[in-house]
Amino acid sequence: MDPRPEEYAISTPQPAPELRFGVNYTPRRGWFHAWHDFDAENAREDLAQIAALGLDHVRVFHLWPLLQPNRTYIRPAAVDQLVRLVDLAAEVGLDVMVDGVQGHLSSFDFYPEWTRSWHHRNVFTDPEAVEAQANLLRTLGRALADRPNLIGLQLGNELNNLVEHNPVTAAEVDHYLDTLLTASREGLGTAGLVTHSAYDAAWYGDNHPFTPEASARKGDLTTVHPWVFSGDCARRYGPRSPQVHHLAEYGTELAKAYATDPARPVWVQETGAPEPHIPASDAPLFARETLLNAASCTNLWGVTWWCSHDVDRSLADYPELEYTLGLFDSQGKPKPIAETIEETITELNTLPLTPSPRESALILDCTPSTRSTSGPGGAFFEAWMTMRTEGARPAVVLAEHAGDAAYVAARGVTELINPE
C-alpha cells in the first residue's frame, strides 16, 4: 500500500521524529466500573493485548468519585490502584498518560457527591471545589512522578462536557485551567507532560467558554479530539469522504494556528470509528487514512485511538456508538480495524523521512461568536477541505498572526491565502 511518500520532504533526508501511537484504555470487563473492584490480572490481560498490536502507550482514567469521595479526602487505596495500573503497563512495554479529574466518560458524568444535590458546587468556579481538584492532581502527580513509563498527567477527560451543569465564562475557565495545571506540575515536578483536553466545541462552538486559545497555549502541548460526529461531519459528507479521512489532519493544523509557539506539538488524543457514522466495513479504511494523513503534519506528537475494547452489551444505557468503538470486541478478539492500525503503524515507523512544512496557509479570520466557520459545514472548513481534495496541503494561520513575518516564516509558510 502507498504510504504517501509524496507528502514527505525528499530533497534533504533527515531522521523522522518518533511518532507515538497508542489507545485510550477501556477495561474489557466492567468498563470503568472495574475500578470498584480492580483486578490486576484482568488489566494485565487487556494491556498485553494492546501491546501486541505494536502500540506504545495507553491513556488511562480513574473515576473522580472513587478517588475523592469527600472534598478533603483522597482515598489512598484508589491512588494505589492507579499506580498499580501504570506498573502493569510497564510490564508489557507500554507508557501511560494519566487523566486525573474524571468527570465525564462516554456520555456519563461522574461527580463526587460533595459537588451535587444540596451540596452543589460549580466545579469550575467554586474556590473550594477548584482547590480540591488541585489537591487531587498534586496527590496523583506525587504518587506517579517516579514511574519511568509515565508520559504525564492530564487534568481530566474533556472537562468542557461539564459546562452545561456548571455555567462558566472564558475568563473563569482560564483561571481554572491555570490553577489545575500549576497544581499538576507541583505534583509531578519535572517528570512528564502536563496537559488538558476538551471536546470539539472548544474549536468549533460559537462562544463556548473553553477556547481554542486555551487549548493551544496552556499546558505542555495541545490535545485535539477530532470526532467524526462533531458537526455531523460523517453524515454531512459521507464516511468515505475526504472531509472525514482528513479530519484529524485538519484538526491538527487548526490547533497549530492558535498556538503562539510555532513549534508547539499537537497530540491527536482521541479519534475513532463510531458506528453508524463510520460503518464497520469502512472502519479499517478510515483508520488507515486518518493515521497517514495526520502523520503528514509537522509537530505531531502522536495519535491515540478511542478506544481499546468494546463496551459489553450486558451494560445498559450507553449511546449505541459506544458499544462498538473498540479495537477489540468485548470478548478480547481483535477486530479488522485493529489489524489495519497495526499494519499502518508498521509502515509509518519505517518511513525514513520527516514531514515537510506546509508552504501555503489559509488565513482564518473569526471571532468567538463565529468560531463555527472552522467546523464541519462552515465556510473556512469547506475552503480548507477543497484545497486538500485538490492536492494542496494547506496550513492554517490566524488573521492576527498573518502580519507577523517571523511567526509565518517559523511555520514554514511562504504563501498566505484568503479563503474565498
Side-chain angles (χ1 to χ4, degrees), residues 141-336:
R142 290 169 185 149
L144 294 163
D146 64 348
R147 264 43 192 188
N149 65 320
L150 182 74
I151 293 171
L153 182 60
Q154 183 154 276
L155 303 190
N157 179 54
E158 297 186 345
L159 290 167
N160 60 329
N161 269 296
L162 306 181
V163 163
E164 182 177 354
H165 302 296
N166 299 270
V168 64
T169 67
E172 290 167 334
V173 167
D174 283 349
H175 175 73
Y176 171 82
L177 293 175
D178 289 341
T179 301
L180 267 58
L181 288 166
T182 297
S184 299
R185 181 52 69 197
E186 289 171 351
L188 278 181
T190 58
L193 300 171
V194 169
T195 67
H196 65 103
S197 72
Y199 81 95
D200 288 335
W203 305 98
Y204 308 152
D206 292 337
N207 295 314
H208 189 75
F210 279 70
T211 66
E213 291 83 357
S215 288
R217 300 172 191 178
K218 296 181 184 295
D220 294 331
L221 52 68
T222 304
T223 67
V224 293
H225 295 188
W227 280 102
V228 298
F229 47 68
S230 294
D232 234 9
C233 185
R235 286 181 172 153
R236 185 188 299 269
Y237 301 106
R240 292 187 168 216
S241 64
Q243 290 85 351
V244 165
H245 286 172
H246 290 280
L247 185 63
E249 174 193 357
Y250 171 75
T252 300
E253 294 300 323
L254 181 65
K256 287 160 62 175
Y258 282 95
T260 52
D261 175 4
R264 181 176 168 94
V266 178
W267 181 354
V268 179
Q269 196 180 62
E270 287 186 22
T271 184
E275 296 183 49
H277 302 269
I278 306 293
S281 59
D282 291 331
L285 176 65
F286 167 76
R288 177 175 172 75
E289 291 295 304
T290 293
L291 292 176
L292 291 175
N293 290 325
S296 74
C297 299
T298 58
N299 299 331
L300 180 71
W301 184 91
V303 180
T304 310
W305 205 260
W306 189 284
C307 56
S308 64
H309 294 78
D310 285 351
V311 177
D312 194 297
R313 289 190 178 273
S314 66
L315 296 173
D317 300 328
Y318 293 81
E320 180 60 27
L321 64 86
E322 297 288 350
Y323 288 103
T324 57
L325 274 168
L327 300 183
F328 299 88
D329 65 22
S330 59
Q331 303 304 308
K333 180 181 178 182
K335 296 155 64 174

Side-chain angles (χ1 to χ4, degrees), residues 26-210:
T26 49
R28 179 166 73 87
R29 300 170 183 88
W31 191 66
F32 295 107
H33 304 302
W35 287 112
H36 286 269
D37 48 356
F38 180 72
D39 187 311
E41 288 307 312
N42 288 344
R44 181 182 286 109
E45 180 182 326
D46 291 346
L47 294 168
Q49 291 172 348
I50 291 167
L53 291 180
L55 300 170
D56 61 56
H57 70 274
V58 289
R59 179 171 165 235
V60 303
F61 315 85
H62 210 317
L63 299 180
W64 187 13
L66 298 184
L67 284 164
Q68 195 173 36
N70 183 272
R71 183 169 59 83
T72 57
Y73 178 62
I74 297 167
R75 291 177 59 232
V79 176
D80 289 346
Q81 287 177 336
L82 185 55
V83 174
R84 178 66 174 135
L85 182 64
V86 174
D87 290 343
L88 290 170
E91 291 178 9
V92 296
L94 293 171
D95 291 342
V96 182
M97 185 69 175
V98 172
D99 274 42
V101 180
Q102 246 50 260
H104 180 89
L105 286 164
S106 299
S107 86
F108 286 96
D109 292 341
F110 293 91
Y111 291 100
E113 289 306 312
W114 54 267
T115 70
R116 291 156 45 111
S117 67
W118 65 275
H119 293 281
H120 179 72
R121 296 171 182 268
N122 186 310
V123 300
F124 298 125
T125 62
D126 182 277
E128 292 181 329
V130 174
E131 182 54 28
Q133 294 168 75
N135 283 335
L136 174 59
L137 289 163
R138 285 190 200 98
T139 300
L140 295 180
R142 290 169 185 149
L144 294 163
D146 64 348
R147 264 43 192 188
N149 65 320
L150 182 74
I151 293 171
L153 182 60
Q154 183 154 276
L155 303 190
N157 179 54
E158 297 186 345
L159 290 167
N160 60 329
N161 269 296
L162 306 181
V163 163
E164 182 177 354
H165 302 296
N166 299 270
V168 64
T169 67
E172 290 167 334
V173 167
D174 283 349
H175 175 73
Y176 171 82
L177 293 175
D178 289 341
T179 301
L180 267 58
L181 288 166
T182 297
S184 299
R185 181 52 69 197
E186 289 171 351
L188 278 181
T190 58
L193 300 171
V194 169
T195 67
H196 65 103
S197 72
Y199 81 95
D200 288 335
W203 305 98
Y204 308 152
D206 292 337
N207 295 314
H208 189 75
F210 279 70

